[in-house]
């Protein structure tokens, strides 16, 4: 046999062995719905977290599917998430390429969606420098001040409570990030945040648009694809959100009238040492990130609390009795009261658990081949974490669909029984856990405490004076929040009304 024939035979043998090895690997994929290479399995478009939870009964807690040739892993248990995202962070800490949201809509400055690597580490390090758990207490005066402003707004225009809650969240992060004081009745920056984050929610989870699977589609003309036209329009609000507040700050700094803030402090430090274009972009991105992330996720959790109080007046009353016993009726709650108000603390945790703000979190992405429980997980797999399922596991959270804040009250008993841990999965996992979670929890706490101290939250009444049952459904989007509903905010007494009107204006927190 000549050398050419031998080479050809070796090539065929090698190809055959490769195909055998690939089939062997595929035979070891985790179980999941049968899918073809091209079309894959039809991924659910409405409330995918609920469908994924149903799949667990069929396929188990680790589910593998393919969509347009792309591997997808769905994790439905804390065990699997801990094993992979927590213990194998070197493989599972990246993010998939989000063509629609990042490249077309312009959200590539959000370091929460950046791929794992040096660029992400630089952004996260700067964020943690200012918004770490050890610095969160420095911002509590600002959080108290804005919570008191919310009370006055609810007194003046209670029917606009949804807007007032979003204004609260935007105001806190605008003040800390840029030093901008949002007016009591709101201003253009609230509208900017609302529009931009609403568009992001519409862009959906990774894979909502086919361009996420076929990145080359981003180059087709806009007249040929609706998603291209949507992205062009939505990009305008994204660019406004990142550029406009920053440009305003730079103008104030040039005029010498910029108040203290994260961005102004960091820019001044960078200028003294010789600022670079990269450094300035990182400062700009991190300031925008805190504004964008804080203004929507915090607001969604507070809206869940309000909806729960409309449905459960008995829970509301129990928390108000605790507040009355601890602080009386002649002042508003402060962060210094926190350790004495366990019921309010339980309300915070249950508001985060009941309907998590990001039911599927932010998707992870494998950077290497891996083997887990004898299953093969290929490099380039997009990993979904079903946070909703984790926080509604009836073995971990008994009666999970009910709003039961008391479940968190007895920590020692819970630890003994292995139930009702604090719902920290709501903030993500591993190296990509939300670095601003401490500030978010603080904001939710002071908001809940101050509202309950002075207001009764009741069902709205129709024209005949009959109670209107609120819609308890949530939107099916990347950021889950209650669908619009009506309710009443009534001062608990005349003294409560006066307390709202004369609430103390606390000074802004210093930036350290």
């Amino acid at each position: 046999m000549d050398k050419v024939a031998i080479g050809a035979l070796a090539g065929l043998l090698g190809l055959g062995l490769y195909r055998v090895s690939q089939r062997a690997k595929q035979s070891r994929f985790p179980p999941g719905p049968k899918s073809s290479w091209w079309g894959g399995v039809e991924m659910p478009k409405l409330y995918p977290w609920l469908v994924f939870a149903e799949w667990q009964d069929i396929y188990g807690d680790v589910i593998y599917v393919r969509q347009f040739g792309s591997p997808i892993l769905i994790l439905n248990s804390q065990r699997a998430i801990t094993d992979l995202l927590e213990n194998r962070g070197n493989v599972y800490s990246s993010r998939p390429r989000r063509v629609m949201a990042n490249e077309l809509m312009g959200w590539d400055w959000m370091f929460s969606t950046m791929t794992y690597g040096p660029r992400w580490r630089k952004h996260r390090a700067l964020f943690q420098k200012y918004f770490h758990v050890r610095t969160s207490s420095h911002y509590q005066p600002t959080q108290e001040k804005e919570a008191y402003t919310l009370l006055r707004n609810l007194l003046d225009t209670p029917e606009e409570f949804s807007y007032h809650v979003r204004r609260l969240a935007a105001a806190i992060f605008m003040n800390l990030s840029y030093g901008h004081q949002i007016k009591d009745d709101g201003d253009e920056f609230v509208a900017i945040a609302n529009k931009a984050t609403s568009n992001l929610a519409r862009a959906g989870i990774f894979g909502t648009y086919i361009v996420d699977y076929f990145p080359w589609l981003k180059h087709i003309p806009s007249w040929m694809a609706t998603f291209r036209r949507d992205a062009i329009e939505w990009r305008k609000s994204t660019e406004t959100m990142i550029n406009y507040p920053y440009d305003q700050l730079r103008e104030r700094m040039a005029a010498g009238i910029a108040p203290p803030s994260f961005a102004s402090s960091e820019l001044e430090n960078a200028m003294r040492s010789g600022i670079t274009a990269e450094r300035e972009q990182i400062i700009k991105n991190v300031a925008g990130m805190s504004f964008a992330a804080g203004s929507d996720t915090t607001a969604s959790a507070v809206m869940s609390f309000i909806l729960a109080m409309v449905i459960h007046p008995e829970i509301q009353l129990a928390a108000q009795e605790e507040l009355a016993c601890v602080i009386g009726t002649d002042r508003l709650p402060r962060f210094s009261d926190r350790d004495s108000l366990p019921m309010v603390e339980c309300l915070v945790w249950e508001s985060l658990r009941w309907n998590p703000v990001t039911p599927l979190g932010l998707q992870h992405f494998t950077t290497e081949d891996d083997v887990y429980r004898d299953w093969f997980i290929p490099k380039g797999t997009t990993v979904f974490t079903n946070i909703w399922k984790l926080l509604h596991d009836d073995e971990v959270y008994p009666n999970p669909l009910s709003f039961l804040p008391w479940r968190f009250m007895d920590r020692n008993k819970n630890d003994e029984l292995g139930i009702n841990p604090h719902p920290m999965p709501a903030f993500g996992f591993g190296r990509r856990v939300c670095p601003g979670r401490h500030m978010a929890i603080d904001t939710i706490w002071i908001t809940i405490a101050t509202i309950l101290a002075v207001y009764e939250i009741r069902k709205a009444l129709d024209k005949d004076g009959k109670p209107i049952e609120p819609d308890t459904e949530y939107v099916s989007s990347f950021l889950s929040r209650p669908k619009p509903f009506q309710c009443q905010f009534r001062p608990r007494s005349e003294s409560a009304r006066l307390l709202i009107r004369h609430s103390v204006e606390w000074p802004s927190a210093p930036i350290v």
Side-chain angles (χ1 to χ4, degrees), residues 187-238:
D187 61 24
E188 58 188 335
F189 289 102
V190 181
I192 290 170
N194 290 351
K195 186 173 183 179
T197 55
S198 294
N199 289 339
L200 178 61
R202 292 168 70 184
I205 302 159
F206 169 84
T208 299
Y209 288 87
I210 195 171
V211 69
D212 283 334
Y213 296 108
F214 300 107
W216 56 268
L217 288 174
K218 70 178 184 177
H219 299 295
I220 66 176
S222 59
W223 58 268
M224 292 180 61
T226 302
F227 77 85
R228 288 280 285 119
R229 295 192 293 274
D230 288 343
I232 290 171
E233 183 61 31
W234 295 344
R235 189 181 184 95
K236 297 175 184 176
S237 61
T238 309

Side-chain angles (χ1 to χ4, degrees), residues 112-358:
S112 59
T113 61
M114 289 178 185
T115 56
Y116 189 69
R119 181 170 180 254
W120 169 78
R121 281 190 286 269
K122 289 178 182 178
H123 283 76
R124 186 179 176 93
L126 181 57
F127 186 94
Q128 288 191 310
K129 176 181 175 182
Y130 287 87
F131 300 106
H132 193 272
V133 62
R134 291 189 296 272
T135 63
S136 60
S137 61
H138 295 285
Y139 309 123
Q140 290 178 353
T142 295
Q143 292 166 309
E144 289 178 347
K145 172 183 175 295
E146 295 301 343
Y148 299 165
T149 300
L150 171 66
L151 301 183
R152 295 192 296 275
N153 286 338
L154 291 174
L155 189 62
D156 294 334
T157 51
E159 68 280 359
E160 297 180 14
F161 67 94
S162 179
Y163 175 84
H164 297 323
V165 169
R166 294 182 68 86
R167 180 224 159 269
L168 159 81
I172 290 172
F173 287 96
M174 278 299 297
N175 182 285
L176 301 181
S177 296
Y178 304 101
H180 176 77
Q181 297 283 343
I182 288 182
K183 300 173 185 176
D184 283 8
D185 57 353
D187 61 24
E188 58 188 335
F189 289 102
V190 181
I192 290 170
N194 290 351
K195 186 173 183 179
T197 55
S198 294
N199 289 339
L200 178 61
R202 292 168 70 184
I205 302 159
F206 169 84
T208 299
Y209 288 87
I210 195 171
V211 69
D212 283 334
Y213 296 108
F214 300 107
W216 56 268
L217 288 174
K218 70 178 184 177
H219 299 295
I220 66 176
S222 59
W223 58 268
M224 292 180 61
T226 302
F227 77 85
R228 288 280 285 119
R229 295 192 293 274
D230 288 343
I232 290 171
E233 183 61 31
W234 295 344
R235 189 181 184 95
K236 297 175 184 176
S237 61
T238 309
E239 291 177 343
T240 300
M241 186 172 196
I242 185 66
N243 292 325
Y244 186 57
Y246 187 81
D247 293 342
Q248 293 284 302
L249 172 65
R250 291 289 265 153
E251 290 180 9
R252 290 195 296 271
M253 290 181 68
I257 57 172
S261 69
F262 149 72
S264 62
S265 176
E266 196 61 27
L267 277 170
E268 288 171 357
N269 292 338
M271 289 175 182
R272 283 193 291 267
S273 59
I275 191 169
T276 63
E278 179 192 26
R279 183 64 177 171
E280 182 169 16
Q281 189 64 52
I282 291 173
I283 296 169
K284 181 179 180 179
N285 291 350
V286 172
M289 167 71 182
S290 62
F291 175 32
S295 64
D296 202 85
T297 54
T298 301
S300 296
V302 172
M303 290 299 291
S304 286
F305 154 74
I306 293 172
L307 177 60
M309 294 302 94
V310 176
I311 301 169
H312 297 288
E314 75 286 358
I315 295 176
Q316 181 178 177
L317 180 60
Q320 289 168 335
E321 289 175 348
E322 177 185 80
L323 282 159
C325 289
V326 173
I327 68 171
T329 58
D330 59 350
R331 69 175 179 88
L332 292 171
R334 301 288 305 274
F335 277 105
S336 56
D337 302 312
R338 190 166 183 172
D339 291 342
S340 303
L341 296 170
M343 182 62 183
V344 176
E345 192 79 12
C346 291
L347 281 169
V348 173
W349 296 121
E350 187 70 342
S351 297
L352 288 166
R353 185 207 66 84
W354 188 43
N355 278 287
V357 176
T358 53

Side-chain angles (χ1 to χ4, degrees), residues 426-444:
F427 296 101
F429 308 95
R431 300 176 187 181
R432 304 307 292 254
V433 67
C434 173
R437 60 194 181 280
H438 309 291
M439 278 201 63
I441 292 169
D442 284 355
T443 300
I444 297 167

Side-chain angles (χ1 to χ4, degrees), residues 438-484:
H438 309 291
M439 278 201 63
I441 292 169
D442 284 355
T443 300
I444 297 167
W445 186 90
I446 193 64
T447 303
I448 289 176
T450 53
I451 288 176
L452 289 177
V454 293
Y455 281 110
E456 291 182 8
I457 307 173
R458 300 182 178 180
K459 293 177 181 177
L461 304 177
D462 64 18
K463 57 184 177 61
D464 297 320
K466 296 181 180 179
I468 300 173
E469 294 298 325
D471 186 347
T472 58
E473 288 191 3
Y474 278 62
V475 299
S476 176
S477 67
F478 163 63
L479 296 170
S480 182
R481 59 185 181 278
K483 290 184 176 180

Side-chain angles (χ1 to χ4, degrees), residues 18 22-23 25-44 52 55 59 63-74 206-207 213-214 366 369 376-382 384:
Y18 173 77
Q22 288 300 105
R23 283 195 294 270
K25 287 180 178 180
Q26 291 178 14
S27 69
R28 294 192 290 118
F29 287 146
K34 185 177 181 181
S35 58
S36 64
W37 185 93
W38 170 249
V41 67
E42 183 176 356
M43 296 290 281
F52 293 162
W55 284 0
Y59 306 108
I63 302 170
Y64 181 87
V65 299
R66 293 188 74 87
Q67 183 76 342
F68 300 113
S70 300
I72 295 173
L73 196 68
I74 300 162
F206 169 84
Y213 296 108
F214 300 107
T366 60
D369 288 347
F376 175 68
I377 301 170
K379 176 182 177 179
T381 298
T382 297
F384 285 80

